[in-house]
Amino acid sequence: MRILFVGDVVGDMGMAMIHEYLPQLKRDLKPQVTIVNGENSTPVGRGISYKIYKQLLKDGADVVTMGNHTWDNAELFEFIDDAKRLVRPVNFPGKTPGQGWTKVKVNQQTLAVVNIQGRVFMNQLVDDPFATMADLVPELDTPFVFVDFHGEVTSEKRAFAMRFTGDVSAVVGTHTHVQTSDAQVLDHQTAFLTEVGMTGPADSILGMQADSVITRFENQRPARYTVQTQGPGLLSGCVIDLNDRTGHARAIRSILISPQHPYQS
């Protein structure tokens, strides 16, 4: 089983990169499941809309994951319960709308796709991701489990991956938008990448126009961040190969398409 995962899609440029390159990646890599994080995919870089959700599916996503900006576009409340291929963090508390995981049939196997959010330097009101996952693993009832861990801190992401090594097939981090270079398979069982990176404007600060971000650092006053809309784009992702019998990871490698790394099919 091969999984293609593409990191946080930011704004219109991120959607344009998906539209241009995702079909090519699928043609060349031939994944059985394609997952895209869409929590920043609206033109303002926060949340997701129904139109964008459907466009991501049309462009080739089988599952769309979210994160801490899940509710930043209120339109989501209108369709999340009917969006069977969209998952928000499973450790959102109580009666939160939507679903935190879903399953995808791959030939004779079933892949569970889980979205979970960290707590360090983030919303402390979400449930403990470690306890949530420990309770969830038996419920998933499949050895093929992909986890999008949406978190701020590298140590929390790695601790989570090491805690669930052998219980899940892959743990890939999202949220910080800068791809790390530590793709590896832990103990010959679980694929791990601290941060998959973003898909959006390359000449930006995490997808935002540089001036507003720099101004805030310089004067410490609130500033409205605006998505960068000019210049080249980038696409960040990874491809993971799983053992068809055990669900354990066999390999993981990063994907980066950018002005410095043009796509070569």
Side-chain angles (χ1 to χ4, degrees):
M1 185 187 298
R2 172 167 285 185
I3 301 167
L4 172 62
F5 180 50
V6 178
D8 303 44
V9 177
V10 181
D12 289 342
M13 193 176 297
M15 290 297 295
M17 292 296 290
I18 289 288
H19 184 70
E20 180 174 359
Y21 289 107
L22 189 59
Q24 296 183 57
L25 287 168
K26 294 188 66 169
R27 178 197 66 205
D28 295 339
L29 296 173
K30 297 178 173 55
Q32 279 74 50
V33 180
T34 299
I35 305 163
V36 176
N37 185 292
E39 69 136 11
N40 298 123
S41 54
T42 61
V44 297
R46 291 175 177 269
I48 193 170
S49 68
Y50 181 75
K51 180 180 179 181
I52 289 172
Y53 166 65
K54 298 298 287 187
Q55 186 62 51
L56 288 171
L57 299 182
K58 184 178 180 180
D59 286 335
D62 298 301
V63 179
V64 178
T65 57
M66 298 294 285
N68 62 305
H69 290 300
T70 295
W71 309 119
D72 285 10
N73 183 19
E75 182 190 343
L76 180 59
F77 287 103
E78 300 174 10
F79 69 89
I80 189 170
D81 286 328
D82 297 318
K84 301 307 180 186
R85 290 195 275 175
L86 185 146
V87 290
R88 46 78 176 159
V90 68
N91 56 329
F92 279 1
K95 299 179 180 179
T96 304
Q99 58 187 0
W101 58 275
T102 190
K103 287 184 174 181
V104 180
K105 195 73 174 177
V106 182
N107 297 324
Q108 302 304 311
Q109 307 291 359
T110 300
L111 175 72
V113 179
V114 180
N115 192 196
I116 201 160
Q117 183 173 310
R119 292 202 295 187
V120 181
F121 299 143
M122 296 187 75
N123 185 356
Q124 297 293 309
L125 297 180
V126 300
D127 295 338
D128 177 5
F130 291 83
T132 299
M133 196 69 208
D135 290 340
L136 182 60
V137 167
E139 183 181 348
L140 297 176
D141 192 31
T142 176
F144 300 87
V145 180
F146 175 92
V147 181
D148 171 352
F149 190 104
H150 200 78
E152 188 77 44
V153 181
T154 56
S155 60
E156 186 181 24
K157 295 177 182 181
R158 186 168 182 86
F160 183 92
M162 296 185 76
R163 163 63 179 84
F164 293 102
T165 294
D167 293 324
V168 303
S169 306
V171 176
V172 180
T174 56
H175 177 66
T176 52
H177 286 206
V178 178
Q179 188 178 92
T180 56
S181 60
D182 59 339
Q184 61 191 282
V185 178
L186 302 173
D187 197 27
H188 306 287
Q189 297 181 89
T190 298
F192 174 64
L193 178 59
T194 298
E195 172 60 48
V196 70
M198 76 169 189
T199 298
D203 293 340
S204 68
I205 299 176
L206 308 184
M208 300 296 121
Q209 292 179 4
D211 288 349
S212 61
V213 181
I214 294 169
T215 297
R216 183 168 181 175
F217 277 114
E218 288 187 325
N219 63 31
Q220 297 300 304
R221 293 188 297 183
R224 182 182 296 277
Y225 294 159
T226 304
V227 174
Q228 176 71 358
T229 58
Q230 304 298 318
L234 63 82
L235 182 148
S236 303
C238 65
V239 61
I240 301 166
D241 290 319
L242 306 183
N243 183 299
D244 289 337
R245 182 177 56 85
T246 65
H248 291 164
R250 298 172 55 205
I252 176 173
R253 66 180 177 91
S254 302
I255 297 168
L256 181 62
I257 302 170
S258 71
Q260 295 77 32
H261 302 86
Y263 184 61
Q264 296 179 344
S265 59

